[in-house]
Amino acid sequence: MNSREAIKGLYREEIDGIRAFAVLAVIINHINNDVLPNGFLGVDIFFVISGYVITSSLTRRTSKNFLDFIVGFYERRIKRILPALILYVLIIGFLICTLNPKPGHTLWTGLFSLFGISNYRLLKWSDNYFALNTQFNVFLQTWSLAVEEQFYVIFPFIIWFSGYGQKRVKGARNFFILIFILSFFSLVYFIYLYQINQSAAYFLMPTRFWEIGAGVLI
């Protein structure tokens, strides 16, 4: 919990509770697929929560201009994500080197995760998310973080230029309509791509945008 959020009374315990259930469902699914066959849906739930949380956070913030808004947004994201991610990649990468005689693919995935593009690495080198060559990659879970980071690249521009970030009179309406349209086309694209390339539909941000967008709209 962020201390500032606690002071302002913005912390939502129930959101963290839902997050915990979503993460637990994914973990159980990975340990034993027979126990919770659809546990991977926890990832979808997590995306929705992320959309809701990031929008709630930005709604409460005021900025003097676009530069102040965009710099503040990326500064908060970098401070929140990168330190822990770097530490995780370094420690796990070192352990993998001591245990795996051929750690190349796994280490490259970890490196790509630092730049928010490990989902593309996994898409290129894996048959699908549930294939054995993917399951044994300890940096597998970074693909969902990469999707969120790629969403963060475009989201502040959407929220600002729709007028919502500037607190304009019709900003909320414009923002809602824009996110709804983008989410609709993202869902259509997901349905289409899933028929011909399930891995791409699973790993890519454009086909996951509608899930994060659902949280934004909420």
Side-chain angles (χ1 to χ4, degrees):
M1 176 177 61
N2 186 292
S3 58
R4 291 183 179 179
E5 290 183 347
I7 293 173
K8 294 179 180 180
L10 304 179
Y11 176 64
R12 303 285 299 272
E13 293 181 350
E14 67 275 19
I15 297 298
D16 269 354
I18 297 173
R19 274 176 170 165
F21 278 114
V23 172
L24 184 61
V26 175
I27 292 174
I28 294 174
N29 176 263
H30 277 283
I31 293 175
N32 190 333
N33 183 53
D34 295 328
V35 175
L36 197 61
N38 295 318
F40 58 87
L41 292 176
V43 176
D44 305 81
I45 296 171
F46 207 91
F47 280 140
V48 176
I49 294 172
S50 294
Y52 173 83
V53 170
I54 191 63
T55 307
S56 299
S57 173
L58 290 175
T59 298
R60 301 183 180 98
R61 294 184 180 275
T62 56
S63 300
K64 296 174 291 185
N65 51 56
F66 174 68
L67 183 61
D68 177 64
F69 176 80
I70 204 76
V71 170
F73 177 86
Y74 289 126
E75 182 182 13
R76 291 189 297 273
R77 300 283 75 74
I78 290 172
K79 287 181 178 179
R80 186 180 183 87
I81 296 172
L82 207 53
L85 180 60
I86 291 175
L87 184 63
Y88 167 72
V89 170
L90 288 175
I91 293 175
I92 299 301
F94 173 77
L95 292 175
I96 284 299
C97 287
T98 63
L99 299 173
N100 188 344
K102 296 180 179 180
H105 171 51
T106 298
L107 292 178
W108 274 109
T109 305
L111 179 63
F112 274 55
S113 72
L114 297 177
F115 297 93
I117 52 175
S118 58
N119 56 332
Y120 287 99
R121 172 75 185 182
L122 288 163
L123 176 61
K124 180 179 179 179
W125 293 95
S126 305
D127 300 324
N128 61 70
Y129 181 83
F130 301 101
L132 286 178
N133 61 339
T134 306
Q135 292 286 344
F136 288 123
N137 190 327
V138 293
F139 294 117
L140 170 63
Q141 71 276 15
T142 63
W143 77 268
S144 59
L145 179 60
V147 168
E148 289 192 22
E149 290 175 334
Q150 290 158 26
F151 176 81
Y152 292 155
V153 171
I154 63 172
F155 185 61
F157 292 91
I158 295 174
I159 200 170
W160 180 265
F161 288 109
S162 66
Y164 189 51
Q166 304 173 56
K167 303 297 187 291
R168 290 181 178 175
V169 176
K170 295 183 179 181
R173 185 199 64 177
N174 296 338
F175 179 59
F176 184 92
I177 292 173
L178 184 57
I179 291 295
F180 182 86
I181 292 173
L182 291 173
S183 297
F184 173 78
F185 282 108
S186 171
L187 177 58
V188 171
Y189 183 44
F190 170 79
I191 294 173
Y192 164 76
L193 191 59
Y194 189 80
Q195 307 303 316
I196 58 176
N197 191 335
Q198 292 186 8
S199 292
Y202 196 97
F203 280 120
L204 298 181
M205 189 278 288
T207 51
R208 291 287 185 170
F209 183 99
W210 66 276
E211 295 180 325
I212 305 176
V216 173
L217 294 175
I218 292 172

